[in-house]
Amino acid sequence: MKVLITRQKNFAEKTKDLLTQINIDSVIAPVIEINYLDVKKEIENSINIYDFIILTSQNSLIGLDKNFNINNLKSKKFLCIGPSTASLLANYSLESFNDPMPEFSSEKLISQIEQIRDFKNSNYLICKGIGGKQTLSEFFKKSLISFNEIFLYERITKIQNIDDIGEFTHIFVTSNDILKNLEHNFANKDQSFWIDKVIVAGNNKIAEKIKFSTKKVIVANNPTDEEMIKTLLKNI
């Protein structure tokens, strides 16, 4: 068994370390890069008006920290999408105001926001990447709730020389963007290439969009390292 890890390099290295600890071979071949944006001037004079800061991903947290230093925002309440985002926030000695388990979805977060006392009279800042979903923005607009959104990073397709990767048996796919870029990288491979490959998808939404005719697609509860590896081990 050899796992192809396709997520951005700084996250992929942690995944590889965890696989190595349980004696599973892997190779890192990121098909996505993240470019963090300098946006401090856009909202540095208004950052203090927000009651809640919504972190839509780990990259939104990293981008926010690069611009404002999370330690200077400790008076804010943070709402996280996904347990991995909340876990990264905990590294700054901060807690997520909401329970981000187990779903990675804006819809789940909205249902939690609606349970916050006097939620309509609060002010929200959505931290996200360029091209991200508009679900939260549409909810706030429809509900006439004060909010702003800031784009802290952009996703860039990374082209890999597939022939340099070598042999592998399993592929970790942890987002729809990674899946799209994976399809671009492997566009010239025919059916014989995929016949013995197993894709581990981070959730059902990703699995539903897979077009490769692989040996098998197995689905994790969410795209955290822990769930991806647990799913892999269950299906050996």
Side-chain angles (χ1 to χ4, degrees), residues 75-92:
S75 64
K76 304 299 177 185
K77 300 182 183 74
F78 291 92
L79 298 168
C80 295
I81 294 181
S84 55
T85 306
S87 178
L88 184 59
L89 183 64
N91 290 343
Y92 295 90

Side-chain angles (χ1 to χ4, degrees), residues 68-234:
F68 295 102
N69 188 336
I70 292 295
N71 290 322
N72 293 330
L73 300 174
K74 289 191 172 183
S75 64
K76 304 299 177 185
K77 300 182 183 74
F78 291 92
L79 298 168
C80 295
I81 294 181
S84 55
T85 306
S87 178
L88 184 59
L89 183 64
N91 290 343
Y92 295 90
S93 299
L94 294 169
E95 292 185 2
S96 178
F97 187 82
N98 65 308
D99 178 5
M101 298 291 284
E103 295 184 45
F104 279 67
S105 74
S106 299
E107 293 80 3
K108 177 64 175 178
L109 179 58
I110 287 171
S111 69
Q112 293 177 324
I113 290 173
E114 290 176 325
Q115 301 303 312
I116 297 173
R117 183 178 180 182
D118 207 27
F119 75 94
K120 287 189 175 182
N121 293 320
S122 295
N123 206 343
Y124 300 81
L125 177 65
I126 306 171
C127 300
K128 61 193 296 187
I130 292 175
K133 293 172 63 177
Q134 294 298 309
T135 308
L136 287 166
S137 301
E138 291 170 358
F139 163 73
F140 288 130
K141 287 177 183 176
K142 184 178 179 180
S143 303
L144 301 178
I145 296 173
S146 178
F147 81 100
N148 190 13
E149 57 184 2
I150 185 167
F151 300 97
L152 292 163
Y153 64 94
E154 59 183 342
R155 306 166 183 86
I156 301 171
T157 301
K158 184 175 178 62
I159 304 301
Q160 292 285 347
N161 185 339
I162 302 304
D163 295 329
D164 289 344
I165 294 175
E167 295 295 320
F168 59 90
T169 59
H170 293 67
I171 310 173
F172 276 8
V173 181
T174 52
S175 74
N176 286 323
D177 288 308
I178 286 175
L179 177 59
K180 180 174 65 176
N181 295 349
L182 192 66
E183 290 171 346
H184 179 76
N185 272 270
F186 286 87
N188 64 340
K189 294 297 182 182
D190 58 27
Q191 175 56 29
S192 62
F193 175 81
W194 293 104
I195 198 68
D196 61 346
K197 304 293 191 295
V198 176
I199 292 181
V200 185
N203 56 42
N204 281 313
K205 291 182 179 179
I206 297 170
E208 289 168 0
K209 295 184 178 181
I210 293 172
K211 299 176 182 177
F212 303 121
S213 298
T214 59
K215 178 180 178 181
K216 184 190 296 186
V217 175
I218 53 179
V219 185
N221 289 329
N222 61 59
T224 59
D225 284 327
E226 293 75 16
E227 285 296 326
M228 295 291 284
I229 293 173
K230 183 167 72 173
T231 302
L232 174 69
L233 293 175
K234 281 183 178 178

